[in-house]
């Protein structure tokens, strides 16, 4: 079924951009994957993160409140109407995978569970994707490594979280760059029908990748209200999954055994 915005100009431009959908793709060769994993180890400042193959998060895009009985489903926890973009990016902030369309009231972990990525063949065995505390720590079906939950006990766990945050935050920077570049779209409610919003968001994600490929990098503006993590029990929410907590403990032990952070850094605030 064709979805339109009731605006031929919007439709034509977005359809043209969507024809370049192959711009958003997972690493195609072993060499591409090595470049990504080495990049995340560099971001984390620790080679224990040398198997990180991406960073994932959800982003809320403001929309006009839809009319009808389902309109309230789009109101998120910050009380504005939105549609969720789930994305995985590489160490440079280039989107590797996008999944968009769920209403703002849905939690990130549920969006993930219904996305094609959840039961895909990426990342390869032995690799993992970095996620914030709003996701469960998983080993199967999708390997996700999250930080230790607050309150964090022990210097080892705090050290791990510090390195994890340095690497994972690239996805927040990617969202920030895209929102800054297309501020006319993302910094106010989209003036298109809510069923057309996913096409607009995907088009912006494609253009974001094209710009990065041309070394056109834009510093993200600071958001007035940064996203806050909603923590839940690891492996919970009905996920048919195997916990990744032991894997995280192993990585944490590697971080403590192979410390590479600046010697003057204080983990305990």
């Amino acid at each position: 079924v064709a979805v339109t915005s009731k605006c031929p100009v919007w439709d034509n431009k977005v359809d043209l951009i969507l024809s370049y959908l192959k711009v958003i793709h997972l690493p195609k060769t072993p060499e591409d994957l090595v470049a990504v994993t080495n990049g995340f180890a560099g971001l984390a400042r620790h080679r224990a993160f040398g198997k990180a193959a991406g960073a994932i998060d959800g982003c809320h895009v403001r929309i006009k409140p839809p009319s009808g009985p389902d309109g309230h489903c789009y109101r998120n926890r910050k009380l504005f109407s939105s549609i969720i973009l789930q994305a995985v990016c590489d160490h440079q902030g280039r989107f590797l995978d996008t999944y968009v369309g769920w209403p703002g009231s849905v939690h990130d972990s549920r969006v993930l569970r219904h996305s094609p990525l959840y039961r895909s063949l990426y990342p390869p065995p032995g690799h993992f994707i970095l996620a914030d505390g709003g996701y469960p720590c998983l080993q199967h079906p999708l390997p996700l490594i999250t930080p230790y939950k607050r309150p964090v006990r022990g210097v080892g766990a705090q050290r791990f979280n510090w390195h994890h945050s340095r690497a994972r935050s690239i996805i927040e920077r990617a969202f920030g760059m895209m929102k800054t570049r297309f501020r006319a779209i993302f910094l106010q409610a989209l003036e298109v029908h809510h069923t057309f919003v996913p096409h607009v968001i995907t088009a912006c994600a494609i253009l974001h990748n094209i710009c990065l490929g041309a070394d056109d990098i834009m510093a993200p503006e600071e958001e007035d209200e940064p996203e806050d993590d909603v923590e839940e029990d690891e492996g919970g929410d009905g996920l048919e999954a195997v916990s990744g907590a032991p894997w995280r403990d192993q990585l944490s032990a590697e971080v403590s055994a192979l410390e590479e952070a600046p010697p003057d850094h204080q983990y305990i605030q």
Side-chain angles (χ1 to χ4, degrees):
V1 178
V3 178
T4 67
S5 65
K6 300 181 182 178
C7 175
V9 175
W10 266 100
D11 291 339
N12 293 338
K13 290 182 177 180
V14 170
D15 287 343
L16 177 61
I17 296 170
L18 291 177
S19 67
Y20 290 91
L21 191 58
K22 60 184 178 182
V23 171
I24 300 176
H25 60 80
L26 299 170
K28 294 181 177 179
T29 67
E31 292 76 19
D32 290 342
L33 179 61
V34 168
V36 172
T37 56
N38 286 344
F40 274 105
L43 290 177
R45 295 189 185 180
H46 206 291
R47 59 183 180 272
F49 288 82
K51 293 297 184 180
I56 188 172
D57 205 354
C59 173
H60 287 264
V61 178
R62 289 179 180 268
I63 64 171
K64 293 179 64 177
S67 59
D70 296 330
H72 69 280
C73 296
Y74 290 85
R75 187 175 294 272
N76 60 37
R77 67 180 185 275
K78 293 188 177 180
L79 304 181
F80 65 84
S81 296
S82 64
I83 280 179
I84 300 171
L85 162 64
Q86 174 188 282
V88 177
C89 77
D90 67 10
H91 60 294
Q92 297 176 317
R94 184 180 69 86
F95 294 127
L96 302 176
D97 180 83
T98 59
Y99 179 63
V100 57
W102 280 78
S105 64
V106 180
H107 193 278
D108 285 348
S109 63
R110 184 181 176 194
V111 175
L112 171 66
R113 189 170 68 250
H114 288 86
S115 69
L117 179 70
Y118 187 62
R119 298 188 184 278
S120 70
L121 298 178
Y122 189 83
H127 295 74
F128 52 85
I129 293 175
L130 299 171
D132 66 23
Y135 292 92
C137 191
L138 301 175
Q139 185 168 5
H140 180 79
L142 177 68
L144 289 184
I145 297 298
T146 64
Y148 287 99
K149 295 184 180 294
R150 298 186 291 268
V152 181
R153 294 188 175 91
V155 175
Q158 293 181 46
R159 182 181 292 128
F160 174 85
N161 279 7
W162 185 83
H163 290 287
H164 182 285
S165 177
R166 287 195 59 86
R168 186 204 61 80
S169 61
I170 185 62
I171 183 62
E172 295 175 354
R173 182 174 176 83
F175 288 146
M177 283 192 287
M178 184 175 67
K179 287 184 175 182
T180 298
R181 190 181 301 278
F182 305 110
R183 57 173 61 86
I185 292 176
F186 290 104
L187 298 186
Q188 59 185 358
L190 270 173
E191 296 289 336
V192 298
H193 194 272
H194 69 279
T195 57
F196 189 70
V197 171
H199 297 304
V200 176
I201 297 173
T202 301
C204 290
I206 291 171
L207 291 173
H208 166 84
N209 277 10
I210 291 174
C211 290
L212 288 186
D215 293 325
D216 183 359
I217 300 174
M218 176 172 289
E221 295 178 351
E222 292 293 331
E223 292 193 47
D224 294 335
E225 295 185 55
E227 289 290 326
D228 53 335
D229 301 342
V230 177
E231 297 188 349
E232 54 187 74
D233 293 338
E234 294 172 350
D237 197 30
L239 290 170
E240 300 173 2
V242 177
S243 173
W247 195 356
R248 179 176 58 194
D249 290 341
Q250 178 183 340
L251 291 171
S252 180
E254 291 179 23
V255 168
S256 295
L258 302 170
E259 182 51 42
E260 298 175 4
D264 60 343
H265 181 77
Q266 297 293 324
Y267 292 101
I268 301 178
Q269 301 297 326

